[in-house]
Each structure stands twice: as structure tokens, then as C-alpha cells.
Amino acid sequence: MKKKIITIILITFFSIGLWASVSLSGEYFSTITLPINIIDIPENYTLANIDHKEITLSVKAQGWELTKLLLSRTLQFDISDNSKIGVQKVQPKNFVNINSWISSTLQVVEITPDEIAFKIEKIRSKKVKIVPNLSLKFKQGYIQTSDISLRPDSIIALGAESLIRNIDSVKTEYTLIPEIEEPITKKIPLEVIDGITYSINSTTVSFDVQKVADKIFESIPVNVINVPRGKELLLFPPKINIVLRGGLNVLGEMSNEDLKPYVDFWTAYKDESGSVEPQLKIPKYTKLITKTPQRLQYIIKQL
């Protein structure tokens, strides 16, 4: 029984192979679409733009040859620049003979489009900054506690003069970083721009992340600024309490001396309510939760 099954399988494969051999030996028509590749560009020049990036060929050949072409992933249609610069218009049919993959047994019936326009320009370089294009999702209870650092933070971009002129920065590829709960160091590729190459194709992104905490700073003196000669501004009370939210390590390193609440004399002078709100500049990546009291009574004295 086992020998019979093996025999049947062998006969089946032989039949399929025979059918394929007979079928593919005939001639067939097919359509293939290929990327256009401009060659023979002068040194220190490059392709600035082209009106068609692909070309479609209607071809006739034996089935075996067409199958091989259709399965190939590396084919492209070469068009020679003939070492010219500036704007050019050419007919692809005139370059069939320089494409070595088009054999004598392959007949090109039609080419679309029948004309290609492109421009060759001088290569220019320019130093541009890198801009992070990130979406950051922090795990509950964690926050970012430093600026985003890029290494490198700029690169040299090279390309056609008309393209380089319009580029002042380059983004990283869009990157989502989810569930963040620890400091991040991540290598990220740069966004691809047609016709532009970079001195380096990636950058390393890093920033600090810490667990969230609240900290109370008590009895912080409120400074009075912009007091004119002969005047004095007395605050009641002269000190306030502040609660900040931020990274655990960041807050742990902070003391009362790092916080400098203040009242501008002229704010009190123009006030008609009898109290003023102290102002406060807090460190980056921290958040003011409360300040107590919210407003201070005051007296303006003549010295």
C-alpha cells in the first residue's frame, strides 16, 4: 500500500512538471512595472527630480523567461543621463539596448510613459538639526524628569541643491514608546527624505524617568522685588508653604533655597483688594500642587 502511494505521488509530480514544461515553452504577453534608475550622472551631481519613478513594459517572450522576470525583485530600467546636467526629456525606448536583462528572445512591445523628464543638479551639503518625533506613554506613577537628549543632535544632509535649500531639520522616524517606567536610551532611525542622504542615518534618544512623588517645603521666605527708594512693602505672613509634584530623585535633591517665591512691589501698589498672590518659578518637570496661603496681606510704608 505504501509503495502504491509513493508511486502515485511521483506520477503526479511528473505530470505537473511535464504540463509546466509544455505550457511555459510557448510564447506569452505580459506587463511588468519597474523602477527607473538614472545612470551615467556626472561626478558631484545627482538626480533632483523625475516626473515618473516607474515604467511599465508590455513584453512578449517564452513562458519560462517571463516567469523568471516576474519573480525577480531586483530588476530596474536604466536610463542614461549621458553626463548632462539640468532638465532633460528622454524617450525610454531609446534605452532598451542598455538594459542587459532584456535579452534577444524578449520582445518589448510597448513602453509607458513614452517620455520621461528629469533634472540633474549639483550636490550640496548642509548641517541640520535632528528633531525627535516621539509619542511617549508613561506607566501610571512615572513621569519624564529631563529634557530629551539626542546623540548626535545634528547631521550633514546631502542632496540636490534645490532639495537641500528647503531642509532646515530632519525628524526621527515616528516612534511610540509605551509603558515607560525607567530611563530611556534608544537608537532611532532618521526619517527618509527622497533624494537626500545623511552623514549618519540614526540618533540615540535618551531621557530620565522617575517615580512620581509629592514634597512639602515649609516656611519659605517671600522676597519683595522692585521696591523704589523710600518705600517698604511688608507681607503678612512673610513666609509660605509649597507642595510640589515631580520625580522622586529630583524632589529629594531640592531644598527651600531652590524655591524663591516673590511679590513685585508695583503689583501690590496697584492692587485694590488688600492682598497679593506670591509668584513662583518652579524647576522644569515639576508641578505646583498648592501654596499656602494663596494670598498675602500687605502694608506699604513710607521710609
Side-chain angles (χ1 to χ4, degrees):
M1 184 66 181
K2 188 175 181 180
K3 289 183 178 180
K4 187 179 289 187
I5 293 173
I6 293 174
T7 302
I8 292 171
I9 293 173
L10 290 174
I11 292 173
T12 301
F13 277 108
F14 177 77
S15 300
I16 293 172
L18 183 61
W19 171 83
S21 177
V22 173
S23 298
L24 295 176
S25 63
E27 287 193 328
Y28 295 88
F29 287 92
S30 186
T31 299
I32 55 175
T33 299
L34 302 172
I36 294 173
N37 180 43
I38 306 298
I39 63 173
D40 301 326
I41 298 175
E43 188 176 357
N44 297 323
Y45 285 81
T46 188
L47 179 67
N49 58 62
I50 187 168
D51 61 352
H52 294 86
K53 294 184 178 181
E54 294 183 328
I55 193 167
T56 300
L57 288 78
S58 297
V59 296
K60 178 183 178 182
Q62 283 191 330
W64 286 111
E65 188 167 3
L66 287 178
T67 300
K68 184 172 65 174
L69 288 178
L70 294 173
L71 292 177
S72 175
R73 297 179 179 273
T74 58
L75 287 183
Q76 54 190 10
F77 190 87
D78 290 339
I79 291 178
S80 176
D81 172 57
N82 291 319
S83 298
K84 298 178 181 177
I85 60 174
V87 177
Q88 298 182 57
K89 291 183 179 181
V90 298
Q91 294 180 322
K93 67 180 181 180
N94 295 331
F95 301 95
V96 170
N97 62 329
I98 71 170
N99 287 270
S100 58
W101 59 268
I102 301 178
S103 65
S104 58
T105 57
L106 180 69
Q107 181 182 350
V108 178
V109 179
E110 184 180 5
I111 299 178
T112 306
D114 57 7
E115 185 176 81
I116 301 290
F118 59 90
K119 186 178 183 181
I120 303 298
E121 289 183 356
K122 187 82 171 177
I123 294 176
R124 298 296 184 192
S125 64
K126 185 178 186 181
K127 186 175 182 179
V128 295
K129 64 180 181 179
I130 301 174
V131 178
N133 185 17
L134 309 175
S135 179
L136 307 179
K137 305 294 183 182
F138 294 89
K139 202 168 183 178
Q140 187 172 0
Y142 292 85
I143 59 171
Q144 179 180 342
T145 55
S146 74
D147 291 338
I148 294 175
S149 170
L150 300 175
R151 298 191 311 273
D153 59 4
S154 61
I155 48 94
I156 302 298
L158 298 96
E161 189 172 22
S162 59
L163 299 180
I164 288 293
R165 187 184 306 125
N166 298 320
I167 296 177
D168 293 316
S169 63
V170 58
K171 294 180 180 179
T172 63
E173 286 186 358
Y174 171 76
T175 303
L176 169 64
I177 309 178
E179 295 293 302
I180 303 173
E181 60 177 332
E182 60 184 8
I184 294 294
T185 298
K186 188 177 181 65
K187 190 174 183 179
I188 300 178
L190 302 183
E191 184 179 56
V192 175
I193 302 176
D194 284 347
I196 300 296
T197 58
Y198 307 128
S199 56
I200 185 170
N201 293 317
S202 63
T203 186
T204 298
V205 173
S206 60
F207 55 90
D208 194 22
V209 175
Q210 296 176 17
K211 195 170 181 60
V212 175
D214 290 350
K215 183 175 180 178
I216 302 174
F217 299 85
E218 297 182 315
S219 299
I220 303 175
V222 179
N223 298 315
V224 179
I225 63 172
N226 296 327
V227 181
R229 181 174 298 183
K231 300 285 186 181
E232 184 178 10
L233 179 66
L234 302 177
L235 301 173
F236 303 97
K239 298 180 180 182
I240 62 174
N241 298 329
I242 293 171
V243 178
L244 291 184
R245 179 168 295 162
L248 181 62
N249 296 339
V250 171
L251 293 179
E253 295 174 357
M254 289 179 59
S255 64
N256 284 12
E257 287 70 30
D258 296 311
L259 300 174
K260 302 185 183 301
Y262 66 92
V263 169
D264 190 307
F265 173 87
W266 295 107
T267 300
Y269 187 80
K270 297 174 184 176
D271 174 73
E272 297 180 355
S273 68
S275 66
V276 291
E277 181 178 356
Q279 302 302 306
L280 177 67
K281 293 180 180 179
I282 62 173
K284 197 172 183 180
Y285 300 109
T286 63
K287 180 180 179 181
L288 176 65
I289 302 302
T290 60
K291 55 185 175 184
T292 309
Q294 190 75 19
R295 298 183 68 86
L296 306 176
Q297 305 297 314
Y298 65 87
I299 294 175
I300 297 177
K301 291 180 63 177
Q302 183 78 35
L303 298 179

